Amino acid sequence: MKTRTKKILYSVPIVVLAVLCGCLIWMLPSAKDAGEDLPVMGEPQETESTPAETEPEETEPPETEEVIDLSSKGLLFESLGDGTCVVSGIGSCTDALVVLPEKSPAGDLVIGIGDYAFRNCSTLRGIELTAAIRSIGAYAFYGSAIEALRIPSETVRIGEYAFCGCYSLSAIDVSPENPNYADENGVLTSKSGEVILAYPAGRSDNFYSISAKVREIRTMAFYNCDAIKLIHYAGSTSAFRQILIGAGNEAIESAVITYSSAADLFTDGSAKEETPEVSEK
């Protein structure tokens, strides 16, 4: 009996072991098949990758400053036939301050103001000349209401009587770089100062001093400058009489003249008063 019980006890583990082995053998093929689908740990997988398509960035065009044309409109121009022109008249322009354009509507470079261009123009109070203006014609501003202007360095010719009869004109300013013209306290002169070209008729000064270096006073340089009552000449009487004084300068003829030279003083120290002779050109 004991022997039979021992046999049974020995056979149970064997049966269990056999069952386990059978299960293990049955599971191995499934595990193998499943393992083929799994990546091996630690080994990187090679994958094909395509570069991502990126859209080109849109770039905005560079900003450009808008050029605003402030020049006066309606002016008249006369072509010189070589790509240049001069202002020939006020035209339909009503600007009190006329700003000359660099080019005419036809595309010609504006290089001058023509003869009589602004003659008797009652609406004109001022004008801005471009650096390209080389000439101002005869009678260009005659009788106009212009009050002041600046002559640029490139203006090398000014016609006769250009500023005559401008009763509102108080000053003429000239660029220091101008080779032909200058101004002596607002009075237009030659570059050397030896010739007085135009005294602004709009000045209210009753006194004017003439430099000793003056050799000529142009015709009508002091036209209708009736405010002047006293003129002082920084030289002698004899030197003043050598000055060539053109016609139309009655303001000088009627003014009281004083001189700097000691030879022209009375014994009591007071200055002699003389009316100079007027010579015509």
Side-chain angles (χ1 to χ4, degrees):
M1 187 67 180
K2 291 181 180 180
T3 303
R4 186 176 181 180
T5 303
K6 288 181 180 180
K7 287 181 182 181
I8 293 171
L9 292 175
Y10 287 133
S11 62
V12 170
I14 294 173
V15 173
V16 172
L17 182 60
V19 172
L20 290 176
C21 288
C23 292
L24 182 61
I25 292 171
W26 177 78
M27 292 175 63
L28 282 177
S30 299
K32 182 178 180 181
D33 293 338
E36 291 178 355
D37 297 331
L38 298 175
V40 179
M41 295 298 292
E43 293 183 4
Q45 297 293 311
E46 295 183 2
T47 59
E48 294 183 1
S49 61
T50 56
E53 294 183 2
T54 58
E55 295 182 359
E57 296 183 359
E58 294 183 1
T59 57
E60 296 182 359
E63 294 183 0
T64 57
E65 295 184 0
E66 183 180 356
V67 179
I68 301 175
D69 184 10
L70 299 178
S71 61
S72 296
K73 305 297 185 294
L75 298 171
L76 300 179
F77 300 90
E78 179 183 350
S79 176
L80 300 179
D82 59 354
T84 63
C85 67
V86 297
V87 180
S88 59
I90 189 68
S92 61
C93 179
T94 59
D95 294 346
L97 173 61
V98 171
V99 180
L100 294 187
E102 293 185 358
K103 292 186 177 181
S104 69
D108 292 333
L109 180 66
V110 180
I111 64 169
I113 298 174
D115 298 345
Y116 305 97
F118 297 100
R119 182 180 182 181
N120 296 329
C121 183
S122 60
T123 61
L124 182 66
R125 294 292 182 270
I127 186 167
E128 288 187 10
L129 307 181
T130 65
I133 297 298
R134 304 173 192 168
S135 65
I136 297 175
Y139 296 91
F141 296 97
Y142 186 97
S144 73
I146 191 170
E147 298 174 354
L149 82 161
R150 177 177 174 81
I151 298 174
S153 60
E154 298 300 320
T155 304
V156 295
R157 187 183 72 82
I158 299 177
E160 59 184 3
Y161 319 129
F163 308 108
C164 190
C166 297
Y167 302 120
S168 297
L169 184 61
S170 59
I172 300 173
D173 184 27
V174 181
S175 168
E177 287 76 30
N178 192 294
N180 292 353
Y181 302 102
D183 70 271
E184 293 286 346
N185 297 321
V187 178
L188 181 64
T189 70
S190 62
K191 186 67 175 181
S192 64
E194 295 181 354
V195 182
I196 297 177
L197 300 171
Y199 182 94
R203 298 180 72 155
S204 59
D205 302 339
N206 59 10
F207 171 79
Y208 181 63
S209 179
I210 298 177
S211 170
K213 62 185 175 183
V214 171
R215 298 290 180 265
E216 180 183 358
I217 298 175
R218 285 285 172 85
T219 300
M220 301 181 75
F222 287 85
Y223 179 71
N224 276 7
C225 297
D226 299 330
I228 298 176
K229 303 300 180 184
L230 177 64
I231 290 178
H232 178 76
Y233 175 64
S236 65
T237 303
S238 58
F240 186 83
R241 288 180 174 178
Q242 297 301 313
I243 297 176
L244 180 62
I245 303 177
N249 290 299
E250 290 80 4
I252 296 179
E253 297 180 25
S254 61
V256 174
I257 311 294
T258 61
Y259 306 89
S260 294
S261 174
D264 298 310
L265 299 178
F266 290 111
T267 55
D268 62 356
S270 60
K272 293 181 180 180
E273 298 176 358
E274 292 191 22
T275 301
E277 298 177 358
V278 178
S279 59
E280 297 192 12
K281 296 179 67 175

